[in-house]
Amino acid sequence: MAKFRRRTCIILSLFILFIFSLMMGLKMLRPNKAAFGDPFGLDLLPEVRQRTPHLVKNVDSQRSDKINSETNIKNLKSVEISVKPSKASEPYLEELPPLNYYLHIFYYSWYGNPQFDGKYIHWNHPILKHWDPRITKDYPQGKHNPPDDIGSSFYPELGSYSSRDPSVIETHMKQMYSASIGVLALSWYPPDSSDENGAPTDDLVPAILDKAHKYNLKVTFHIEPYKNRDDQNMYKNVKYIIDKYGNHPAFYRYKTQTGNALPMFYVYDSYITKPEQWANLLTISGSRSIRNSPYDGLFIALLVEDKHKYDILQSGFDGIYTYFATNGFTYGSSYENWAKLKLFCDHFKLIFIPSVGPGYIDTSVRPWNTQNTRNRVNGKYYETALSAALQAHPSVISITSFNEWHEGTQIEKAVPKRTSNTVYLDYRPHKPSLYLELTRKWSEKYSKERATYALDHQLPVS
């Protein structure tokens, strides 16, 4: 009997030892979390993914620059949400493709609110009158009344923000970076001047350049039709821009076929000024020629009508862009004409820059202009425009716009909003970052395709 008990104890001890050894072996087979990351599948869950160390670091680095909210609670919530990493809409910065410096986007710094500017600017845009008084009388008059009633058919995720808010500038640069956009074309008026609904903004340029540089973005200038613009004051203003901002690392220069790196200037409504005046500035023999001087650059004219091609040639411009995001609105903005315009530019050694946009709706400020509305169709309109632009094999593609909210061409994040009087449009069923994500997708596609045809067309590739 004692012998049987000893045998049972030995067998039991061996069994326990076997179980213990098996458990230790299984534990050693488990992957080390530090080496392999979170267990498979957890990184797909936004709530878990958001807590990874480098994302927390991004939040901490922004806390000192946190977006200042407006007085109402609704705007406060939307602003704070925009500073924190989006749970599902923003990729990690490390995962993004390189920036595409041949993809430019038009950017507006003309917005203001009471906290930063003492009053609302541009969000309270007036409702514009039709040139026919008989049509005007059928529509409402007056101005919009922010923060809940703004001059836009969409509502920004950041609320009725100020372009002077450092955190707004930071958020904008981060959004452009996330979309793989390389260059922002800053709407610019000379010091102490502005559009009729705004306030001077030239003093914001240093902050925009600094924030752009933080995200490796470049800044070029979109010169607006300021009062009495002519060849003489254009020379002074180009000189001012280059002297004051030209040494900043974020100041954009385009490398030409000859290897020169020159500043680029988009000139809005260039057709208003007569070709003879432009020729004084932009041709070598001009009386105020800027050519072969320290202030030489690439000047890009707006082409609206077909006949403008020859005016642009006579003027001495270096290229054309089309700006408007409304297919069919003008000759230049019609996709069907881009192949012909590209051939014209190639023949005369001009830079062709088609402008694409996500849609168009300006009825919050021009309620009588419904015929030019272009529905976004959940991003399909934008992708059709981008596809048409790529087919033309352009030197550069421009996007209208990052934040022209009045005309509904923005790719900046918008959110659902309803008031007692207005239901704003939004990007549902998609996320607020839809158009940033589509831009990133097409930026990468454009970068790859451009590399294949750049050598054939003798375009710069870096």
Side-chain angles (χ1 to χ4, degrees), residues 270-285:
S270 51
Y271 57 87
I272 293 175
T273 303
K274 292 181 179 180
E276 295 79 13
Q277 275 198 317
W278 285 126
N280 289 335
L281 179 72
L282 301 177
T283 61
I284 293 175
S285 59

Side-chain angles (χ1 to χ4, degrees), residues 402-418:
F402 181 78
N403 62 339
E404 218 297 7
W405 289 92
H406 307 311
E407 295 181 345
T409 62
Q410 79 290 336
I411 67 167
E412 183 183 354
K413 293 181 181 181
V415 292
K417 185 175 178 67
R418 178 191 295 266

Side-chain angles (χ1 to χ4, degrees), residues 23-55:
M23 290 176 65
M24 290 299 295
L26 289 173
K27 185 175 181 180
M28 292 179 67
L29 288 173
R30 183 182 178 187
N32 187 326
K33 183 174 178 180
F36 293 92
D38 286 325
F40 178 75
L42 289 183
D43 61 332
L44 300 179
L45 300 175
E47 292 293 344
V48 175
R49 184 167 184 152
Q50 190 171 346
R51 289 195 290 268
T52 55
H54 61 272
L55 214 63

